[in-house]
Amino acid sequence: MANDFIRRDFDCAHCEERFGYPIPISLLASESAEIIVSCPFCGGQSLADLTPWADKSSEVLMGDGEAPAPEAIGNRYHFPERIPTTPVEQSDGDSDDK
Ligand SMILES: [Zn+2]
């Protein structure tokens, strides 16, 4: 199941407002936990790299038959009060390659 979210506060990289945004647990369980958040104040998109906040010392055992509880995955992260973000360039094109 990938319907679990934890809500955290982010700093908008554009207007520096603080806003809450749900982070999918499935994202936190993946290797590269990066999320693009949309600011409700200015509409700007920001990229938040969540991997620095993961506690490497408490490994969640994956692929051991049992999936870890969402709480266990969420607790593995030590987020600051406001998660910093970097601006995402907005483009009209939707293609990834140049
Ligand atoms: Zn903003």
Side-chain angles (χ1 to χ4, degrees):
M1 305 297 268
N3 293 325
D4 290 303
F5 294 85
I6 58 170
R7 197 172 180 83
R8 287 288 178 264
D9 284 343
F10 291 85
D11 263 335
C12 177
H14 299 274
C15 69
E16 296 181 359
E17 284 284 357
R18 169 185 180 161
F19 60 93
Y21 205 88
I23 306 171
I25 290 290
S26 57
L27 178 75
L28 294 177
S30 67
E31 276 294 306
S32 61
E34 288 186 342
I35 186 171
I36 291 182
V37 294
S38 297
C39 174
F41 297 97
C42 70
Q45 290 196 313
S46 308
L47 176 74
D49 185 4
L50 305 178
T51 50
W53 313 111
D55 185 355
K56 296 285 196 289
S57 66
S58 63
E59 285 292 317
V60 175
L61 295 177
M62 305 288 285
D64 207 30
E66 248 178 83
E71 296 80 23
I73 298 173
N75 288 340
R76 190 175 160 230
Y77 283 78
H78 301 286
F79 291 118
E81 197 176 335
R82 302 164 65 146
I83 301 173
T85 63
T86 54
V88 172
E89 298 297 331
Q90 309 233 30
S91 68
D92 294 327
D94 211 11
S95 67
D96 280 330
D97 51 311
K98 284 232 151 114

